[in-house]
Amino acid sequence: MPIDSFRPQSWNGIDDIVIVGGGLAGLFCALKLAPRPVTILAAAPIGQGASSAWAQGGIAAAMSPGDTFEKHVADTLEAGAGIVDEKMARFMVSEGPARIHDLLEYGVPFDRDLEGKLLLSREAAHSERRIVRVKGDMAGKAIMEALISAVRKTPSIRVLEGYVVEELVREGRFISGVVARPDAGQSKNRVHFPARAVVLCSGGVGHLYAVTTNPWEACGQGVGMAARAGAIIADPEFVQFHPTAINIGRDPAPLATEALRGDGAHLINSAGHRFMLDIHEDGELAPRDVVSRGVFAEVQAGRGAFLDCTKAVGAHFPDMFPTVYASCIAAGIDPVTQPIPVVPAVHYHMGGVLTDAEGRTSIDGLWAAGEVTSTGVHGANRLASNSLLEAVVFAARIAENIKGMLPEPKINDWGKNAGESDDLVTIEDSPALKRLRRVMSDHVGVIRSREGLATAIREIAALERENSRMRFHNIVTTAKLIATGAYLREESRGGHFRSDFTEQKADWKHRTFLTLADAEKVVADLSETAAA
Ligand SMILES: Cc1cc2nc3c(=O)[nH]c(=O)nc-3n(C[C@H](O)[C@H](O)[C@H](O)COP(=O)(O)OP(=O)(O)OC[C@H]3O[C@@H](n4cnc5c(N)ncnc54)[C@H](O)[C@@H]3O)c2cc1C
């Protein structure tokens, strides 16, 4: 492939900052770095293949008259079940309003009241009205449209779409570039992009699991790549599930919004029994992780779980919830008269690449922002609408840090052909990935146990041995870190529930820090046990 084909007519810069990923974190960081030249490598066209564009709720920021940073921090600490890094949460919360103003300047049309003031909504577990939205549930789409437009107008930003990064190149203590595969990862060519700063913004891990609300590109490649390059990974075991994804065989699974339960819809099994009343005094309105476990248990027991909206919403369904209605009708279910089959789905990863307050990872030359990271602000469970906030706050901090550390652009290189390799190609539909997703959902999902996790870790190791492809190795590495973190944490906390250790334990009231070598040691110990 001619290297000139990487050079869009309008781009005039120098290629020494590479951002991996074109979701909210990646685009915001690039805009904040302007006019410093940057290259964004994104697996899919920007605006697609990113959770950011699918966000429905909005962004949390303490901006209403009765609200304070203290209250927002307190709610964040409460949701995080005792292990939030308070200092990091304070940075995030206190810089929230400034970042919302940045988004307004980039053209995001946040909802306003009649006086033109920002309209702030309330969400579960927030003690104040503090969610900025766009037209109700369109925040993600509108934010991304505004940022994409700003990025396209910024001459210092070069966007290379369809470049799947497979490897972080490490030279001694430093990350010195990345290797990517063009054509949505389908090309035999691999391209090396040397860089003095690499910012990893590659999103979440949903597609490591059989059922998820995340786009395909969120399959944990970033965490795996970073771990393989030697980075420390934090809190990998903490995965958040949404309790009511619509179980109609669609991948990703559409959501049956929590507002339906808020409006009085009941969860029943195939015998018509309202099982949540047996589990929690608040029934369907119990915390998200409790409802997820209730739904999961019914599905696992073969009784199925259904959201019955026929009485609470009934004939108003098409008007009140048009998106959910359309998904159901397309699958042959009329939610006005029929219960909707539901299942818990992986929604968000609290764990990821460990970063400090400036977004620096444990390896020089590598920064990270957004869902791929573990900054510590979510602890064991994310407070709703804090993830978009985290993405913009730390992306902006990274831009400042890089500008301070590397004031002058130096490398002048357009990307070099790194040779051909058949070591690809479509892993997304491969039997190995299907098996991995099944293993993760069955044993590393909503309810975990020592035995199940040991089975998962052995299966993951076997899948890794049988598949040499680099991209698959990135994915399977992330799975290994999540399963190992869950195996080691012998308690239940936030998004992590162990059926053999159902309580929180005081001596586990801390974050998890793992390297790939630590995880390999657990794999080796378990292999020895199996062989003995
Ligand atoms: C349905 C849904 C609703 C949500 N609603 C909310 C909400 O209301 N409020 C809230 O705060 N959070 C919400 N979240 C979570 C939030 O959307 C995400 O945490 C956030 O958008 C993550 O942003 P990001 O930039 O880190 O990742 P993403 O937006 O996922 O972007 C990742 C980017 O990296 C690219 N990529 C991945 N791997 C590679 C690779 N190997 N090489 C190159 N590029 C790669 C992707 O294509 C994409 O461009 C929701 C999530 C979902 C799925």
Side-chain angles (χ1 to χ4, degrees):
M1 172 182 302
I3 297 303
D4 264 0
S5 67
F6 308 130
R7 185 195 301 242
Q9 294 292 313
S10 59
W11 198 76
N12 227 351
I14 290 174
D15 199 13
D16 73 347
I17 302 176
V18 168
I19 295 177
V20 180
L24 178 59
L27 300 188
F28 200 81
C29 188
L31 286 166
K32 283 282 175 184
L33 277 160
R36 175 76 185 250
V38 297
T39 294
I40 296 175
L41 301 173
I46 50 172
Q48 297 169 33
S51 293
S52 300
W54 294 6
Q56 293 172 356
I59 307 190
M63 298 170 84
S64 70
D67 205 358
T68 61
F69 295 153
E70 283 310 313
K71 286 186 190 170
H72 191 177
V73 169
D75 293 344
T76 302
L77 297 182
E78 174 71 22
I83 59 166
V84 169
D85 183 326
E86 190 170 336
K87 186 179 70 127
M88 297 289 269
R90 283 187 188 282
F91 285 136
M92 177 180 78
V93 163
S94 60
E95 289 166 29
R99 299 294 77 83
I100 298 293
H101 285 294
D102 289 342
L103 289 169
L104 286 166
E105 271 176 31
Y106 290 133
V108 179
F110 287 124
D111 293 344
R112 292 176 185 271
D113 63 16
L114 290 175
E115 292 171 3
K117 292 196 196 115
L118 282 177
L119 203 60
L120 292 145
S121 313
R122 195 156 186 166
E123 239 177 18
H126 286 275
S127 57
E128 292 290 339
R129 304 179 76 84
R130 65 166 74 102
I131 317 300
V132 282
R133 299 175 181 263
V134 182
K135 290 189 198 134
D137 62 3
M138 303 294 283
K141 186 167 179 288
I143 292 169
M144 287 297 283
E145 278 173 5
L147 291 200
I148 290 167
S149 161
V151 161
R152 301 269 189 229
K153 286 183 206 141
T154 306
S156 60
I157 303 175
R158 174 171 71 145
V159 184
L160 299 182
E161 294 164 296
Y163 278 71
V164 178
V165 175
E166 295 188 334
E167 192 183 348
L168 300 171
V169 181
R170 183 164 178 164
E171 285 177 33
R173 283 175 38 228
F174 293 90
I175 294 298
S176 63
V178 303
V179 176
R181 204 185 281 271
D183 301 337
Q186 303 301 299
S187 168
K188 284 185 178 179
N189 294 295
R190 302 178 81 230
V191 185
H192 176 207
F193 294 86
R196 289 200 300 157
V198 173
V199 189
L200 196 57
C201 302
S202 56
V205 303
H207 273 270
L208 292 178
Y209 286 80
V211 187
T212 178
T213 62
N214 293 185
W216 260 106
E217 289 73 9
C219 58
Q221 294 185 58
V223 171
M225 259 185 278
R228 294 178 72 201
I232 297 173
I233 306 302
D235 300 337
E237 66 272 35
F238 294 112
V239 176
Q240 189 176 72
F241 292 82
H242 194 290
T244 56
I246 307 177
N247 193 7
I248 46 175
R250 257 177 63 188
D251 186 20
L255 283 182
T257 162
E258 279 175 331
L260 287 161
R261 275 175 289 133
D263 280 0
H266 291 170
L267 280 164
I268 56 172
N269 62 20
S270 53
H273 178 60
R274 213 176 140 195
F275 54 87
M276 277 313 298
L277 292 179
D278 306 338
I279 299 171
H280 198 281
E281 56 186 12
D282 294 335
E284 287 80 1
L285 299 179
R288 230 183 217 188
D289 54 320
V290 177
V291 181
S292 290
R293 287 197 289 281
V295 171
F296 181 76
E298 293 303 309
V299 174
Q300 282 295 95
R303 292 186 287 270
F306 303 84
L307 191 64
D308 185 356
C309 311
T310 54
K311 292 193 188 63
V313 188
H316 302 293
F317 208 116
D319 293 334
M320 286 174 70
F321 301 100
T323 313
V324 184
Y325 184 74
S327 301
C328 291
I329 292 294
I333 299 157
D334 181 357
V336 174
T337 55
Q338 292 172 287
I340 306 167
V342 291
V343 66
V346 172
H347 194 50
Y348 184 78
H349 191 207
M350 279 72 77
V353 183
L354 176 68
T355 55
D356 68 9
E358 318 309 328
R360 287 178 300 213
T361 71
S362 56
I363 316 180
D364 289 338
L366 182 65
W367 286 254
E371 195 169 335
V372 73
T373 65
S374 178
T375 59
V377 300
H378 305 302
N381 222 343
R382 171 188 68 127
L383 180 66
S385 293
N386 264 357
S387 36
L388 295 177
L389 176 65
E390 179 197 37
V392 288
V393 165
F394 290 98
R397 287 182 151 254
I398 289 172
E400 280 311 301
N401 191 249
I402 290 177
K403 283 191 276 188
M405 279 177 76
L406 309 172
E408 294 299 324
K410 285 232 173 81
I411 299 177
N412 188 354
D413 202 319
W414 294 95
K416 299 182 188 122
N417 201 324
E420 289 192 358
S421 133
D422 278 328
D423 166 32
L424 63 156
V425 177
T426 306
I427 48 165
E428 282 72 12
D429 287 330
S430 73
L433 186 57
K434 280 197 183 122
R435 202 169 121 207
L436 178 68
R437 295 180 73 192
R438 197 64 265 160
V439 168
M440 292 297 283
S441 279
D442 287 349
H443 300 300
V444 200
V446 180
I447 299 179
R448 302 155 173 189
S449 69
R450 170 189 280 265
E451 201 185 330
L453 289 164
T455 304
I457 292 169
R458 289 192 194 104
E459 282 261 356
I460 289 167
L463 278 167
E464 188 172 27
R465 277 194 304 276
E466 290 160 18
N467 295 273
S468 58
R469 292 170 176 170
M470 184 166 298
R471 231 151 78 209
F472 189 73
H473 268 210
N474 290 334
I475 292 171
V476 92
T477 296
T478 307
K480 193 191 303 179
L481 286 154
I482 296 173
T484 309
Y487 179 81
L488 293 173
R489 185 174 283 273
E490 294 187 330
E491 66 152 1
S492 291
R493 186 183 293 275
H496 168 71
F497 184 84
R498 291 271 303 247
S499 58
D500 45 354
F501 297 98
T502 55
E503 304 296 326
Q504 266 184 26
K505 288 191 191 160
D507 54 355
W508 268 108
K509 196 180 174 194
H510 58 76
R511 299 177 65 197
T512 300
F513 301 105
L514 278 182
T515 62
L516 185 52
D518 299 327
E520 298 294 6
K521 189 166 174 328
V522 175
V523 175
D525 289 349
L526 281 170
S527 309
E528 273 173 31
T529 326

